[in-house]
Amino acid sequence: MPRVSATPEAAKTIERLWRQHGSIVFHQSGGCCSGSSPMCLRADELPPGPNDVELGEVAGVPVLIDRDLYDSWNSPDFRIDVATGAADNLSLEGSDGVHFVNLAG
Amino acid sequence: MSTIEKQDTTIPAPGQHDSPVELRERYDNFIGGHWVAPSSGAYRENLTPATGEAFSTIADSSADDIELALDAAHAAKDEWGSASPAERAATLNAMADAVEENLRMLAVAESWDNGKPVRETLAADIPLVVDHLRYFAGAVRSEEGRVSEIDKDTYAYHFHEPLGVVGQIIPFNFPLLMAAWKIAPALAAGNCTVLKPASPTPWSILKLMEVLEGVVPPGVINVVNGPGAEIGRALASNKRIAKIAFTGETVTGRLIMQYAAQNIIPSTTELGGKSPNVFFEDVMAADDEFLDKAIEGFVLYAFNKGEVCTCPSRALIAESIYEPFMERVLERVAAIRQGHPLDPATMMGPQVSAAQLDKVESYVKIGLEEGAELLAGGHRPDLPDELNGGYYFEPTVLKGTNDMRVFQEEIFGPVVSVTTFKDEADALAIANDTLYGLGAGVWTRDGARAFRMGRGIEAGRVWTNCYHQYPAHAAFGGYKISGVGRENHRMMLDHYSQTKCLLVSYDQKAMGFF
């Protein structure tokens, strides 16, 4: 059974984003410039695709990942943290000058 | 643990006395041919990865500024779109000339904003910017439509027409070159653009616009800096663009394509890779120039400190030559000179940001936890005081198997994961055992084998007996989840045009239906 969790700091950021944007989700990135970070998007912006699986919820927010990506990573547990500095992508927390990271290991 | 020392030949950094680069305290957006302050009045510090220090402030824009940029682009699009191919080519050539005249200045600016060594920007990045502009200037002059004869009275005349205004979002790893890859075909095809640079590297593009101010008609190129979360979204989902082009990470790529689908516009995306670099037994058939080139080919994973979507981050070595080849390769890795990016002797500079550095470090940890063996590097190097806050990481070599996370996930740093293969079939299977398909390298003295491997590897760019070359006129883009579309080739003119068919009848008689 895959597990996802968030650090208390990440949970606070997630709750703030929920109050600001309404229904949000995490989509785990496959990589490139932002490295393999969890992307926080509005739920209506990127509806789950047929190949997305939900790993669980953190602070009430679903965490989705492409099934093939998850398999190729050998299905680790995810722990989502938040760090200073905005990553340069469309993830919503960037407006607050922070970025989510995945401490999966 | 390696140690970095600074040399006296280091070029003075932007803002210092005698630097080739002039530095202002504050930079606005470039909209409609003018420098325009951000609507909110907010600015953000921009740091250099060399030392982690702020050296300027840049406009911190909001969605309103994207609207201003789109206003300017729409105001310019009719005149630019109806300019003749010769006029557009002349502008692109004038842009290339202006960049070439300011080559050293732009090379230093790029190096300071991104951290890449000035040795690379002088020899590769900026000359390639010039080349891509000139290539598309030439390509557009040779463009033609087509005529189809349907019957003796009926003809279909096909014309290429501009899309109008396009949105372009570029990454931090080659700010000026990625800008050129996007701008050149868009302008050649008669479009105006709104460009959003990456947040870690917002500045070198503004130095470029200072150079191009007098050369490009107002409104044809507009540059807006700010947080991706807000203005990247505002641009990509905007109803006033006719196309979106994006280079970056995979989920954003999906989101971009989603916005494009909802607005019914085309999109092109380039999304990353885990490119295999395959070394066959015969590279060691002689201890000659070619072997030396192949050794360099391996070490090219350190080019641009590994922050390249096509980083040859998986090295596949024929079992039979593993020991002697790795001995030579590790010698060459140990000789990589890290240092101040503006020191012309520096071969590898710092990673672009603290966040990227943390990520690289955590992947090395993951690799070791999974059982990979550390053959070189793996740590932050010792730094002289001056570079103490910089984002440096040692060039690193891990050995393992292709199912490990460090072989499947894109690290985006100076880390190569090495494994062996038994024979050609095994090499091909391992090379293709990845979700990505952007680049690959094949090294062999056997031309037929090179051809078979090249046609068998599922990637859009297979470097054969070379790597990290990006000339214009060579198509570049991804298979599989590495993206959709091709850059650097005249086929891009089609990506940035639409086809108008005039179906003309010279027959005077009615059809007879009504």
Side-chain angles (χ1 to χ4, degrees), chain A residues 4-8 10-19 21-27 40-43 54-64 80 100:
Chain A
V4 286
S5 59
T7 62
K12 283 206 206 79
T13 305
I14 293 168
E15 276 148 24
R16 198 170 64 240
L17 289 168
W18 185 282
R19 285 196 298 276
H21 294 285
S23 200
I24 52 179
V25 294
F26 279 106
H27 276 271
C40 183
L41 306 174
R42 291 196 320 263
E54 185 177 318
L55 296 180
E57 288 190 350
V58 292
V61 172
V63 178
L64 305 175
I80 295 178
F100 289 116

Side-chain angles (χ1 to χ4, degrees), chain B residues 208-433:
Chain B
L208 174 67
M209 294 321 298
E210 283 178 352
V211 164
L212 297 182
E213 255 183 278
V215 173
V216 182
V220 171
I221 304 176
N222 304 278
V223 179
V224 181
N225 275 309
E230 202 182 329
I231 67 167
R233 224 175 218 93
L235 182 58
S237 62
N238 206 295
K239 292 213 73 85
R240 295 204 287 157
I241 56 171
K243 175 192 160 81
I244 183 72
F246 171 76
T247 297
E249 65 82 39
T250 51
V251 170
T252 306
R254 277 175 70 181
L255 188 58
I256 296 284
M257 295 178 80
Q258 180 80 11
Y259 290 143
Q262 285 170 350
N263 289 332
I264 314 186
I265 62 172
S267 65
T268 45
T269 50
E270 196 248 277
L271 304 179
K274 193 70 184 184
S275 304
N277 208 0
V278 189
F279 297 89
F280 283 94
E281 182 182 67
D282 63 10
V283 302
M284 294 210 83
D287 190 354
D288 59 0
E289 270 182 339
F290 180 70
L291 173 58
D292 179 62
K293 187 182 186 190
I295 292 165
E296 180 189 60
F298 179 108
V299 181
L300 282 173
Y301 79 88
F303 179 77
N304 206 43
K305 49 250 173 54
E307 290 169 349
V308 197
C309 305
T310 43
C311 178
S313 50
R314 290 189 292 148
L316 281 49
I317 321 266
E319 249 171 18
S320 50
I321 57 161
Y322 177 78
E323 298 290 344
F325 187 70
M326 284 309 291
E327 193 185 319
R328 301 288 291 268
V329 150
L330 290 173
E331 263 169 26
R332 198 71 63 92
V333 169
I336 293 176
R337 239 187 112 82
Q338 286 192 276
H340 194 287
L342 299 183
D343 177 348
T346 294
M347 297 177 191
M348 200 177 105
Q351 309 311 118
V352 79
S353 66
Q356 287 297 124
L357 176 59
D358 288 342
K359 201 156 313 199
V360 173
E361 202 168 46
S362 71
Y363 266 113
V364 173
K365 190 158 158 288
I366 286 172
L368 296 176
E369 279 167 7
E370 316 184 82
E373 197 189 326
L374 184 68
L375 301 183
H379 307 95
R380 303 184 187 211
D382 285 331
L383 296 164
D385 290 340
E386 199 218 358
L387 303 180
N388 222 0
Y391 314 130
Y392 295 83
F393 199 78
E394 290 175 338
T396 298
V397 181
L398 294 171
K399 178 170 192 261
T401 49
N402 202 59
D403 57 343
M404 291 179 180
R405 291 186 58 188
V406 286
F407 282 79
Q408 292 293 322
E409 295 178 41
E410 187 167 18
I411 296 174
F412 224 63
V415 181
V416 64
S417 302
V418 180
T419 193
T420 57
F421 62 85
K422 296 183 187 9
D423 55 25
E424 191 178 311
D426 195 25
L428 188 62
I430 298 172
N432 284 335
D433 182 18

Side-chain angles (χ1 to χ4, degrees), chain B residues 158-177:
Chain B
H158 297 97
F159 299 91
H160 300 293
E161 295 184 354
L163 295 171
V165 174
V166 302
Q168 305 183 307
I169 299 178
I170 58 178
F172 62 68
N173 57 352
F174 293 86
L176 290 177
L177 186 56

Side-chain angles (χ1 to χ4, degrees), chain A residues 76-105:
Chain A
D77 294 338
F78 282 15
R79 186 157 173 76
I80 295 178
D81 195 6
V82 66
T84 50
D88 184 52
N89 50 45
L90 270 58
S91 195
L92 291 168
E93 77 282 7
S95 297
D96 297 336
V98 295
H99 64 284
F100 289 116
V101 296
N102 188 344
L103 303 175

Side-chain angles (χ1 to χ4, degrees), chain B residues 91-133:
Chain B
T91 298
L92 286 164
N93 278 322
M95 288 165 66
D97 291 346
V99 171
E100 198 168 50
E101 275 154 31
N102 291 276
L103 196 145
R104 188 177 164 77
M105 183 279 283
L106 290 169
V108 173
E110 184 81 320
S111 179
W112 197 238
D113 207 7
N114 167 282
K116 59 176 76 204
V118 72
R119 195 167 113 135
E120 284 176 9
T121 53
L122 285 168
D125 297 53
I126 313 305
L128 281 172
V129 168
V130 175
D131 189 45
H132 284 272
L133 290 166

